[in-house]
Structure formats: structure tokens, C-alpha cells
Amino acid sequence: MKSITNSITSSHYIKSLAFDYVETHSLQRGDEYEAAIQVLKPELYNLKVRKEKRNNLTDTEEIRLNELDALLSVTQYLIDDTGRFHFSSQRTNTFQYGNEAISLLKNILLTKTTDVSNWMCAPIYRDAIVFYKSSGEIVSALNICLSCEVMAIGSSCQVVADCSTYEMLRKFFKDIGHPVES
């Protein structure tokens, strides 16, 4: 797993983006996700135990072990290193540039960073915003953990924001009908 190597403030981040529309995504939540995890975790455990004790996995089982390990044993982002969206992701909204929601989102991310939370928990990114060009090309994906008050652009860059930014993002998501834990 790559670790986060650099950071940028939320205001610098949003100012640096040239985009035509955004999508909001919800991931790693809900009954279907929880049911899938209940099936995948024992499968991962059994493959790990077999590999450690007997080391007799087939090539196919070895590939599956690596897939499950990447899916369950590391921080999950909306889009993985191969460009695939997380299996649990659901698009909740799409907004064209110029929409009032985009203006509000930009203003939230432009909030001056003066008070930064420093929770010691591992983020679980359940919310994300994907910025697109009109051609459908992804410009950037912003992963958000409202619990830990952490944002990241994949595994290589943290987006640092003021504590108040997260409360405004929580309200923004709720107001547009995006599922958010209270």
C-alpha cells in the first residue's frame, strides 16, 4: 500500500481544478455492503490461513487472496490504482458547472484552513466527489471521511481542511439527499 506523501489545502485543491461537472458518491455503507463484507471476510481469512499453514493455494486462489487483501486489508478509496470504482460505490448526484450546488461546494472547500482536526483513527472513506471534464474524463476524485475529518486524493495526497469544512460538507451532503451518518 502506498502511503500519503504530500498534502494540499482544500482551497488550493478546488482552485487548481478545471472541471465541467461533478458526481457525488456514497461507498462502504448500507445493507448490501455489510452483507458482502460478511461473505468476503471469512473467505479472506480461510485463504490466509491455508497459505500460512499449508502454502498450497492454486494460482487462482493466490490471485483471489491478493484481490481480497487489497479490498479488505487497506484503506479503501472510491477509485483504485487501476481506475476501477469501489464495488460498493453508488452515484448519488450529478451537478453541472454553474449549478448552485457547485457554487456552494466550491465555497465550502475555499474555507480558510485555521483549525485542523487531528484524530488518530484510520479513515473510512464513505463519501466522495468526482470532478469531470465534459468529455467524461475524470479530473480528480476527492475521498471524504466525515468521522475522522480527513480528505484524500487517492493514496498519494491528503487534502487538509478546516474543522468547519467537514460540518459544512456533512450538511451539503444531507441537503442533496446523500446518505450520511449522523
Side-chain angles (χ1 to χ4, degrees):
M1 177 180 95
K2 291 185 282 182
S3 61
I4 294 179
T5 56
N6 58 13
S7 64
I8 184 173
T9 64
S10 60
S11 60
H12 283 101
Y13 172 72
I14 195 64
K15 286 178 185 175
S16 73
L17 295 178
F19 63 94
D20 297 306
Y21 67 98
V22 301
E23 292 179 347
T24 58
H25 286 258
S26 175
L27 64 152
Q28 299 192 87
R29 63 163 56 99
D31 293 340
E32 284 181 37
Y33 171 71
E34 292 301 326
I37 292 301
Q38 294 307 312
V39 171
L40 297 174
K41 277 186 178 180
E43 183 183 358
L44 172 62
Y45 175 78
N46 290 335
L47 288 170
K48 275 187 173 183
V49 167
R50 271 194 46 219
K51 181 174 176 121
E52 289 169 13
K53 291 191 176 190
R54 291 183 244 145
N55 199 22
N56 67 346
L57 298 182
T58 66
D59 290 345
T60 303
E61 289 170 327
E62 193 71 45
I63 291 167
R64 181 65 174 160
L65 173 61
N66 291 333
E67 288 173 350
L68 290 171
D69 205 37
L71 190 62
L72 300 172
S73 300
V74 297
T75 301
Q76 298 295 298
Y77 299 94
L78 176 65
I79 302 171
D80 69 16
D81 292 339
T82 67
R84 288 184 300 187
F85 279 74
H86 193 273
F87 78 91
S88 70
S89 72
Q90 297 179 345
R91 184 180 62 221
T92 57
N93 289 284
T94 302
F95 299 106
Q96 296 297 320
Y97 197 90
N99 183 291
E100 186 179 314
I102 299 284
S103 298
L104 178 57
L105 177 61
K106 286 175 75 175
N107 285 335
I108 291 169
L109 293 174
L110 286 168
T111 300
K112 186 175 180 181
T113 304
T114 57
D115 184 18
V116 178
S117 295
N118 197 11
W119 299 101
M120 297 305 289
C121 53
I124 299 174
Y125 297 109
R126 291 190 173 98
D127 306 289
I129 302 167
V130 184
F131 299 86
Y132 288 91
K133 290 186 178 188
S134 60
S135 64
E137 177 187 345
I138 294 174
V139 175
S140 183
L142 181 62
N143 298 273
I144 304 166
C145 177
L146 293 170
S147 299
C148 296
E149 297 185 349
V150 173
M151 291 187 281
I153 309 164
S155 59
S156 62
C157 184
Q158 185 171 359
V159 177
V160 180
D162 193 81
C163 292
S164 64
T165 301
Y166 294 95
E167 196 52 48
M168 289 185 281
L169 281 170
R170 188 175 282 105
K171 182 177 179 347
F172 171 80
F173 282 129
K174 284 181 179 180
D175 288 351
I176 62 171
H178 185 93
V180 175
E181 290 76 12
S182 297

